[in-house]
Amino acid sequence: MDLKEILQNFWKSYTEERQIIFNLVKKIHHFDYSKLEKILKEKGFNIWRASIFRTLNLFSEINILDRICNKNWIIIYEFIDEKNHHEHMKCQNCWKIIEFDDSEIHNFLEEISKKNKFKLLKHSIILEWLCEKCLKINK
């Protein structure tokens, strides 16, 4: 996946800052703005907060990032790997997120798509549960 080519396809400009953020978010699994900003600073990159926010919004808009949940106005992002279909489980209490891959779910969604004459491009399923730790606390 070449960022310059992706941005060009959407008539967006390429910048070195966008490339730095792109390279980083490909490696981070689930993250929010604060985690990304912290890692950027630890790696010695001095990118303005507004530039980070604008880049995250742009990447979401052009399907580089997916916003997988939102708690108290904090958005959790995930890099979109078009070859990797997976689902998420989220704890309703602590917001721990795990992902899992289930071919039966994916096959089921493909069947529904074909039955309704659609082509499945992507899907997002978030199951909300209580994790083992929070379940013990809430007993």
Side-chain angles (χ1 to χ4, degrees), residues 50-125:
S51 294
I52 297 170
F53 276 116
R54 281 193 303 270
T55 300
L56 292 175
N57 286 332
L58 171 65
F59 285 2
S60 293
E61 181 183 312
I62 64 175
N63 294 319
I64 291 173
L65 293 177
D66 199 6
R67 295 176 178 156
I68 59 170
C69 66
N70 184 339
K71 179 186 180 195
N72 299 330
W73 300 98
I74 297 173
I75 299 169
I76 306 297
Y77 296 94
E78 177 180 50
F79 181 75
I80 297 174
D81 180 355
E82 295 179 13
K83 297 174 190 166
N84 185 15
H85 292 276
H86 60 270
E87 287 64 50
H88 295 94
M89 291 178 71
K90 176 181 69 174
C91 178
Q92 282 188 335
N93 189 48
C94 71
W95 284 70
K96 174 183 177 182
I97 298 171
I98 63 165
E99 60 183 44
F100 64 97
D101 186 10
D102 188 317
S103 59
E104 288 182 34
I105 292 173
H106 183 71
N107 292 339
F108 177 69
L109 294 174
E110 285 285 355
E111 285 178 32
I112 292 171
S113 298
K114 287 177 185 174
K115 183 174 153 182
N116 291 288
K117 298 180 179 155
F118 276 77
K119 176 170 177 44
L120 179 63
L121 301 176
K122 74 176 194 172
H123 67 269
S124 177
I125 298 174

